[in-house]
Amino acid sequence: MKLVCSKANLLNGVQTVSKAVPSKTTMSILECILVDATNGEIKLTANDMELGIETTIEGQIVEKGIIALDAKMFLEIVRKLPDSDITIETDASFKVVITCEKAKFTIIGKSGEDFSYLPAVEKDDSIVMSQFTLKEVVRQTIFSISDNDNNKLMTGELFDINGEEFKIVSLDGHRISIRKIQLKNSYSPKKVVVPGKTLNEVSKILPGDADSDVTISFTEKHIVFEFDDTTVVSRLIEGEYFKIEQMLSSDYDTKVKINKRELLDCIDRATLLVKEGDKKPIIMNITDGNMELKINSFIGSMNEDIDIKKRNLLPILINSSNQILCGDQFIDIKQLKERIKEFIDNPYNDEHKPERVEADVPFFGKMMARKNHVISLQNDRGTEYQAYIDVQNEIAAAYNELRNKVSKEKFGKNFADLDEEQQKAVQQIYPQKIS
């Protein structure tokens, strides 16, 4: 084989496909980049059996052939060569000579016939969108995937296509990111879970041109991205994705509208006082027309106010460590939710007589609950936080309701209408809640 191409074209091609070269593998052939010049074009391919990338580069084929070259060595050689045309020659013993101007490298390659080619994928089921759009929706959601392989579905993103709507969803158990866009054409419904690694690499090599399209094709087990002269093939993550609609509430007690740039800049300034690895939280205190962000670390402290627009606001104090202020202490929202659920039960027995239902909950004391009561405390920034005061109000209402029922059954009146002795009698049956 003998071929000639410019350094710029070769380097761009090698850098593109090297994203699919595994860092660790027991198959040494997968550590290589396949250079294939057997069909009238120069194709570069890398494949780690989960993700494969193939790209075509411009160049002159003097003699057809195929060779597999160590990816890391090949990339470093091409990168350090002069900015001129590069000639690659091979012989039957897989000896490879790479020359550029006065520089000459001789290395040993491997048989291209041993390389694992990309799987052949039927492309009947496809959608089309701009490169810029795909790059942006991935950038805006990819941070929410999990890096823990214990739950494979959390390491990927859901692609949900329905008619002209394309929805991409990611979550890691603490955060949920959802991005919706409108497609130019209508497509049949489709849901697949794409590995986060694949989307990260696709986002890196996508030029992101708003005037150029990317075609995304699906099969039962694979997804294919085609753009310019590059093809990316990846395995899909198997399994049914989480039911996001059930995780999100449409009935919010508090909504806050804030200038995105102001919030980002404020957070950026606050993180100046946090060293890498430091878990000091940024505390957000939301009051009437104002959001205060503050942080205290061993380096120093900072606080800043941002104007907000609010609707039906309740005082809320949360921090970036997934905690909510209860009394004078922060408590983990997930733990709080679990403890509250412990005493959510039917407060009436079979004869419909009152039965005390209570539990000791940190910072709430003894609490009562009504039948089918649901606490909505979602556990991450950017989603709904129902303030602890709401929980107290619900419990107080449930307590009063049950106490009045006891009063009516025993004395025919509400508790507030009883005299002191009658109230004491009711409280012996249904003791007062401890705040």
Side-chain angles (χ1 to χ4, degrees):
M1 180 185 77
K2 182 177 181 180
L3 55 89
V4 181
C5 57
S6 69
K7 175 189 173 178
N9 286 341
L10 182 58
L11 180 59
N12 183 62
V14 173
Q15 287 177 327
T16 296
V17 300
S18 64
K19 308 291 186 186
V21 177
S23 55
K24 291 182 180 180
T25 179
T26 56
M27 301 173 61
S28 59
I29 192 66
L30 296 183
E31 296 176 336
C32 296
I33 291 175
L34 182 70
V35 182
D36 187 353
T38 57
N39 296 314
E41 59 184 3
I42 303 172
K43 271 187 184 177
L44 305 178
T45 307
N47 184 13
D48 69 358
M49 308 306 289
E50 295 288 335
L51 170 66
I53 303 177
E54 178 182 275
T55 191
T56 302
I57 63 172
E58 294 182 359
Q60 178 186 0
I61 301 174
V62 180
E63 184 179 339
K64 293 182 178 181
I66 187 171
I67 193 73
L69 301 175
D70 181 270
K72 185 176 180 181
M73 178 64 68
F74 189 30
L75 176 58
E76 290 304 314
I77 289 174
V78 175
R79 181 181 285 140
K80 295 183 183 298
L81 286 173
D83 294 328
S84 186
D85 286 346
I86 297 174
T87 302
I88 301 176
E89 297 180 82
T90 66
D91 61 18
S93 63
F94 308 122
K95 184 175 76 172
V96 182
V97 179
I98 303 174
T99 57
C100 181
E101 294 184 357
K102 298 179 180 180
K104 180 179 179 181
F105 285 88
T106 301
I107 59 176
I108 301 299
K110 296 181 180 180
S111 171
E113 305 299 330
D114 298 332
F115 194 83
S116 298
Y117 286 87
L118 301 187
V121 177
E122 297 291 336
K123 301 173 184 177
D124 296 333
D125 194 1
S126 303
I127 66 171
V128 178
M129 69 179 69
S130 76
Q131 295 180 12
F132 174 80
T133 299
L134 179 60
K135 196 178 182 80
E136 279 297 290
V137 296
V138 170
R139 181 186 65 82
Q140 292 166 355
T141 56
I142 197 68
F143 65 90
S144 292
I145 66 168
S146 173
D147 55 4
N148 190 334
D149 286 339
N150 290 338
N151 192 324
K152 201 72 176 176
L153 287 169
M154 286 189 181
T155 65
E157 294 198 331
L158 173 69
F159 277 23
D160 185 356
I161 300 111
N162 190 1
E164 296 181 356
E165 182 181 84
F166 174 68
K167 180 169 71 175
I168 183 168
V169 181
S170 64
L171 61 85
D172 63 0
H174 299 285
R175 299 171 292 189
I176 300 177
S177 296
I178 302 174
R179 182 73 165 87
K180 297 178 182 179
I181 61 169
Q182 291 299 120
L183 301 171
K184 296 178 181 177
N185 301 308
S186 182
Y187 301 94
S188 58
K190 187 78 175 177
K191 287 186 179 182
V192 297
V193 183
V194 187
K197 176 189 173 183
T198 297
L199 295 174
N200 261 321
E201 302 305 342
V202 168
S203 182
K204 289 176 184 176
I205 62 180
L206 261 178
D209 190 347
D211 297 326
S212 300
D213 290 335
V214 54
T215 301
I216 307 174
S217 305
F218 308 94
T219 68
E220 186 177 345
K221 294 185 177 181
H222 292 90
I223 185 169
V224 182
F225 299 87
E226 295 177 284
F227 51 92
D228 299 338
D229 297 315
T230 300
T231 301
V232 179
V233 181
S234 171
R235 287 184 180 272
L236 295 171
I237 298 176
E238 297 182 3
E240 184 178 356
Y241 201 71
F242 309 96
K243 297 186 183 300
I244 300 299
E245 293 78 10
Q246 297 178 5
M247 299 181 182
L248 300 177
S249 171
S250 58
D251 183 20
Y252 296 99
D253 289 316
T254 301
K255 283 192 176 182
V256 174
K257 185 177 286 188
I258 187 169
N259 183 279
K260 180 177 71 173
R261 176 48 55 192
E262 279 190 63
L263 179 61
L264 289 175
D265 289 345
C266 184
I267 293 173
D268 190 41
R269 286 189 286 272
T271 54
L272 292 173
L273 300 178
V274 182
K275 286 191 175 181
E276 187 174 352
D278 191 359
K279 296 188 180 297
K280 287 290 182 182
I282 298 174
I283 297 174
M284 303 169 67
N285 186 14
I286 303 171
T287 56
D288 189 14
N290 181 72
M291 175 188 286
E292 179 189 22
L293 273 76
K294 59 184 179 180
I295 184 169
N296 287 289
S297 70
F298 68 91
I299 299 176
S301 63
M302 173 264 189
N303 68 284
E304 184 171 344
D305 292 336
I306 304 176
D307 293 333
I308 61 173
K309 294 180 180 179
K310 83 290 186 215
R311 189 175 72 186
N312 193 23
L313 190 65
L314 291 169
I316 302 174
L317 186 59
I318 61 178
N319 67 28
S320 57
S321 295
N322 195 31
Q323 297 175 321
I324 189 167
L325 185 67
C326 297
D328 60 352
Q329 300 184 51
F330 280 103
I331 181 172
D332 182 81
I333 291 178
K334 184 177 181 181
Q335 292 178 2
L336 175 62
K337 185 177 179 180
E338 290 172 354
R339 292 297 300 275
I340 291 174
K341 280 184 176 179
E342 290 177 7
F343 64 85
I344 295 178
D345 202 353
N346 185 351
Y348 305 107
N349 60 20
D350 293 337
E351 287 78 28
H352 301 287
K353 293 180 181 179
E355 181 182 69
R356 186 171 64 196
V357 179
E358 64 180 39
D360 287 310
V361 179
F363 315 116
F364 290 87
K366 290 190 179 298
M367 301 171 62
M368 312 299 174
R370 67 179 65 180
K371 182 179 180 181
N372 297 329
H373 174 63
V374 177
I375 301 295
S376 178
L377 283 173
Q378 296 186 15
N379 61 345
D380 194 26
R381 59 205 129 169
T383 59
E384 174 192 0
Y385 284 95
Q386 183 172 326
Y388 76 97
I389 192 171
D390 287 336
V391 182
Q392 289 179 313
N393 289 340
E394 285 286 353
I395 291 164
Y399 167 75
N400 289 330
E401 178 183 319
L402 295 177
R403 188 172 59 177
N404 284 330
K405 186 173 181 63
V406 174
S407 301
K408 287 180 179 178
E409 288 183 352
K410 193 170 182 65
F411 299 107
K413 302 177 184 178
N414 286 330
F415 181 80
D417 298 326
L418 302 180
D419 60 34
E420 185 176 348
E421 291 300 319
Q422 290 173 330
Q423 287 184 349
K424 286 181 180 179
V426 170
Q427 286 176 345
Q428 288 178 353
I429 302 172
Y430 207 86
Q432 184 162 343
K433 177 179 73 76
I434 302 173
S435 298

